[in-house]
Structure formats: structure tokens, C-alpha cells
Amino acid sequence: MTDINTIKNLRNNHDKSIDHIRKELGVNWRTAKKYADEDNFPKKRKIEKKGMMYEQKWGDILTLWLAEDAKLPKKKRRTNVAYHRELKELDFPGSYRTVCGFVQDWRSTHNDKGAVDKGFERLEHPPADAQLDFGTMEVEHEGSFKDIKTLVMTFPFSNVGFAVALPAENQECLFEGMTQLFHQIGGVPKVIRIDNMSTAVTERKSKYKPAVLTDAYLRFATHYRFNTQVCNPRSGNEKGSVENKVGYIRYNFFPTSPSMKYFASLNEKLRIQLIEDRDRNHYEKNVSIIELWEEEKTELLALPDVPYPVFKEIECKANKYNEIKLDQTLIHVPKARNHTKIYAVLTAETYTFYSGSGDIIAEGDRPYMFKKRPIDWVSILLDWRKKLRSMEYSRYWKYLPDRIKLYLTHNDWKVQAERVDILINLLVTNDMKQINERFYELIGVEPSSDSYNVDWNSYDALGIFPKEVV
């Protein structure tokens, strides 16, 4: 820099020529010219990103996943462990740290802020004491997204967990879920800690008064002989074990929305995964969860000989249009106004309307069983259009009908782009289910051409199942 400053000084302050500077300092003419007349600004160091995440397909795949997850609520996003596990299933040769480094780099440029860690006082947990809470989980069902409730029970002593998926969070679902959990456990906890859920608590716990439980909940608890502890309001740390387990199940077992046909099949999958999860060590006792659970379950109460009958009976009234309001939804019941008295028997999934004389006048699935959200295929396809080679690795790819997957699978990226554009245009007036059902008519491809000579009628026949309750 001293020589450069001398050249600049001779040129600018003493009006010396380039040739004079060359001779006086004994430097090359081009060197003198460069530093005399050109700006000498500091240059930013160019950092080149190298490695398999940037030079191979893995970075594009993970970028697609991160971009998709960023649009979802935090509880629905996958963790780094889930990203690494799913990449490994695609024969990813890298390590977990490689994935973490790429994710951290991506988030640093996409304003992703981590959650604040807050500590609480550690509580003691004797054997056979359990905690209970609901969590919300998203599943794909019949081409749409559906929010379901997951009732989770944990035993903090051993850190073992149990869970069942349910359609709603009302009292009937609570009792049905607890009944299923008790049978999975093979016994009943001595104490169950809950929050101030309206399905069990009619008057919240205060500084001076204990919580008041509903009559129905007390009757249920008496039948199974367990005691109930109600947490203080806004004190989730008092049941931190189940709070953590709800998130653990969501992030580790269902990092993306699973496809659900029946509640029973989803619950069986969840039961098996939770059993396999017991092989790991307790987070602080350095003993496997299964060993601690074998010790703890000897403290459980025995199941009663007869399970609790879960139903709710209410009186109903029809309006002048023969409609009865149930679950905030009007249900049309022909000639309902002809009956002076109507009552309903409700289970977690169904309703049955009876006349005053005991005759069934209507029955069916409860309205919340049909609540769904369409998948925003247009936005998804627009994102795929930008990264065609990563399309098949998207979290949404598995929700496509097989016929549409086959249509989009092509070696030529230009053809793929054209087909994505065709689907985007069709989605303006049709949903994905309709496009699949009217595929040859809407796409304009003859069944005998290209690879579409598959006998889809025979293929579809393999997927026929009894009508599901969800």
C-alpha cells in the first residue's frame, strides 16, 4: 500500500506523467498506470459454496422441502433429523451435520427465527402417574387435508407414550380415546394430570379453590378408579412430559401429513411406531424406556371387567324447516317437526335421532367428520415448475393420484414443464380428483397411447375399500 500511495501522490498531487512515475520508481509502465488512474477499492471476498449439497441434487431437494415447510405453521415443519432421515431413504451419502449446516445456511438468508428456550422447575414423577393432552395433526384424506385430534398419554417416570387419533376434541371423543388408551396400556394409571379442558373441567382451578370436574368425567373416572390432578391455568410446564410428547410424535412419526384411509389403520401405525420407540434410552436416566416401563406397569390399576359405554344423550329441537342443529351444523331431517320430542344419542363419530316413542328417525356421521381443506395444487405446481428435477421429492408428491404421477414422470424436462402447465390450467375449473377421474377426456390422451395403456379400471378396482367414516 505504501508504493500505491506514492504512485497516487505523484500522479494527483504533483501532476507527474505515467512515464515519469515509471522511471522514478522503477516499476512497469502498466503497473504505474493501473495504480495512478484506476480506483483502488477494497473488493469483497467471493465465497464459493462447494460440496455435495451445492454441486449435486441434494441441495435442490432440501431447498424444496425447506421452502414448502416454511409456508406451514412451525409445528407442522420437519426437523433436521427428519430431513436427514428422508434424504437417507433417497441414498444420500452425507452426514447429519452436512444437512444441519445447509439448513442453517438456508435459514440465515430466509429470516427463520428459532424459538426462545424457557426453563421451568423440574417436577418429580412417581410410577403409574400419567399426563394427558390433545394435539392437532394434519392428515391427507381422499385428496384433501383434514385436521384431526391426537389424544396423547405419557408416563413421565419411564417416558413411555401412547396416542390415538380422533375426529374431534369433545367429551365423547375424550372418553373414547381414553378407553382405547387404557386397553393399549393394559391397565389404568393411578393419577392422570390434565389441563383445564372444558370436556372435563366445569370450573377452573384458582388460588383458593380446587377445580370442579364435570359429572360425566367424574362418572368415567370412578368407573376406571383413577384420580385426577388439574393443572393451574396457563401452566403448561406442569404437564411438560405430555406437551413434549405431542410435539415428539408430530415431528418424528409424521413429519409430513400422512395419508389416512381409516382412523383404525392410522392408530395401528401410530401404536407400532410408539412401541418401537421404546428401545431408546430415557433422556436422563441412561436406562432404556422399555426397561423402565416394565418396572412401572406393575404399579398400574387393573382394567374393569366391562368397558365404559361412551355415548351422550341430548334433547333436540327442529326448526320450521325440519332442521336440527348439531355440532354447529344444521341437519335436515324429513318430517322432524311432526315429532313433539326428539333426542339424540351421540358417539365420537355418529349421531342417531330418536322420536319420543323411541323410533329412529335419522342417523349418520357427525358433521365434523366431513370437514376438510383442499390441497392448493396450483401453488404447489407453480413451485414445482421452477424446480422440475426435484418435483418427485416434494412432500406433496405422494398425495397425487397414481395416474397423475405417471403423467408427470418424463425424462424430458420440457415435456414435464408443458404437462405441469396443462394441469395448472385444468385446476382452474376442476379439482385434482376430477382430473384423475376424467383423465383421458381432460388431458386429451388416448388410453392406448404412450404409457397410458394401463388398464386403470382394473388398477382402480384394487383400491376399492368400504366407505370410511372420516
Side-chain angles (χ1 to χ4, degrees), residues 146-206:
K146 180 181 178 69
D147 285 333
I148 62 172
K149 298 297 179 179
T150 308
L151 187 63
V152 179
M153 181 176 287
T154 63
F155 291 81
F157 176 83
S158 61
N159 197 31
V160 74
F162 299 85
V164 290
L166 298 161
E169 201 171 340
N170 55 32
Q171 194 173 77
E172 303 86 86
C173 289
L174 172 65
F175 293 167
E176 177 64 32
M178 291 179 73
T179 301
Q180 292 185 34
L181 288 173
F182 293 156
H183 281 83
Q184 280 191 29
I185 294 166
V188 180
K190 293 178 180 177
V191 178
I192 299 179
R193 181 174 293 174
I194 63 173
D195 58 19
N196 290 271
M197 55 178 69
S198 60
T199 51
V201 179
T202 185
E203 187 176 327
R204 290 188 170 195
K205 182 180 181 180
S206 70

Side-chain angles (χ1 to χ4, degrees), residues 123 125 129-137 150-164 169 174 178 181 185 189 191-197 229-231 235-253 274 280 282-283:
L123 303 176
H125 304 289
D129 276 19
Q131 298 179 8
L132 185 75
D133 198 14
F134 275 104
T136 301
M137 183 188 298
T150 308
L151 187 63
V152 179
M153 181 176 287
T154 63
F155 291 81
F157 176 83
S158 61
N159 197 31
V160 74
F162 299 85
V164 290
E169 201 171 340
L174 172 65
M178 291 179 73
L181 288 173
I185 294 166
V191 178
I192 299 179
R193 181 174 293 174
I194 63 173
D195 58 19
N196 290 271
M197 55 178 69
Q229 291 180 351
V230 181
C231 297
S235 300
N237 61 299
E238 294 182 2
K239 56 179 182 63
S241 173
V242 71
E243 294 271 0
N244 290 333
K245 189 68 74 175
V246 169
Y248 182 83
I249 290 171
R250 182 185 294 118
Y251 293 132
N252 289 277
F253 300 151
L274 284 168
R280 61 190 177 90
H282 189 278
Y283 61 93

Side-chain angles (χ1 to χ4, degrees), residues 176-379:
E176 177 64 32
M178 291 179 73
T179 301
Q180 292 185 34
L181 288 173
F182 293 156
H183 281 83
Q184 280 191 29
I185 294 166
V188 180
K190 293 178 180 177
V191 178
I192 299 179
R193 181 174 293 174
I194 63 173
D195 58 19
N196 290 271
M197 55 178 69
S198 60
T199 51
V201 179
T202 185
E203 187 176 327
R204 290 188 170 195
K205 182 180 181 180
S206 70
K207 186 175 181 180
Y208 305 104
K209 295 182 180 180
V212 178
L213 301 174
T214 64
D215 291 343
Y217 182 86
L218 283 171
R219 191 179 300 115
F220 181 86
T222 301
H223 180 76
Y224 285 103
R225 300 183 298 125
F226 63 85
N227 294 318
T228 302
Q229 291 180 351
V230 181
C231 297
N232 290 302
R234 299 176 297 279
S235 300
N237 61 299
E238 294 182 2
K239 56 179 182 63
S241 173
V242 71
E243 294 271 0
N244 290 333
K245 189 68 74 175
V246 169
Y248 182 83
I249 290 171
R250 182 185 294 118
Y251 293 132
N252 289 277
F253 300 151
F254 301 105
T256 59
S257 305
S259 295
M260 182 184 79
K261 290 187 178 297
Y262 312 100
F263 276 106
S265 59
L266 180 64
N267 284 332
E268 179 61 16
K269 180 179 180 181
L270 188 55
R271 185 187 70 83
I272 292 172
Q273 288 179 309
L274 284 168
I275 289 175
E276 294 173 350
D277 184 64
R278 298 173 195 169
D279 290 332
R280 61 190 177 90
N281 276 1
H282 189 278
Y283 61 93
E284 66 176 5
K285 296 181 179 179
N286 201 29
V287 180
S288 69
I289 292 175
I290 185 63
E291 290 181 54
L292 291 171
W293 175 238
E294 290 297 326
E295 175 187 344
E296 182 174 19
K297 69 180 183 180
T298 60
E299 303 289 331
L300 296 171
L301 302 174
L303 285 167
D305 294 333
V306 180
Y308 189 86
V310 179
F311 69 90
K312 184 178 182 180
E313 187 174 302
I314 59 173
E315 284 195 29
C316 304
K317 186 177 181 181
N319 63 20
K320 62 181 180 180
Y321 302 107
N322 289 322
E323 295 170 333
I324 299 174
K325 193 171 187 179
L326 178 65
D327 299 331
Q328 306 303 314
T329 303
L330 292 173
I331 301 174
H332 183 262
V333 179
K335 299 181 180 180
R337 291 279 290 181
N338 295 359
H339 303 281
T340 56
K341 183 179 180 181
I342 299 174
Y343 64 97
V345 174
L346 308 176
T347 68
E349 299 177 354
T350 64
Y351 69 84
T352 306
F353 292 131
Y354 291 89
S355 66
S357 58
D359 297 324
I360 297 176
I361 59 175
E363 57 186 343
D365 295 332
R366 295 185 68 162
Y368 53 63
M369 303 294 284
F370 304 103
K371 288 185 178 179
K372 299 177 184 178
R373 295 187 311 280
I375 300 175
D376 188 1
W377 283 114
V378 173
S379 297

Side-chain angles (χ1 to χ4, degrees), residues 3-16:
D3 292 340
I4 294 172
N5 287 336
T6 301
I7 293 172
K8 286 283 187 183
N9 182 52
L10 291 172
R11 181 65 164 167
N12 297 328
N13 298 329
H14 299 280
D15 296 327
K16 301 297 183 180

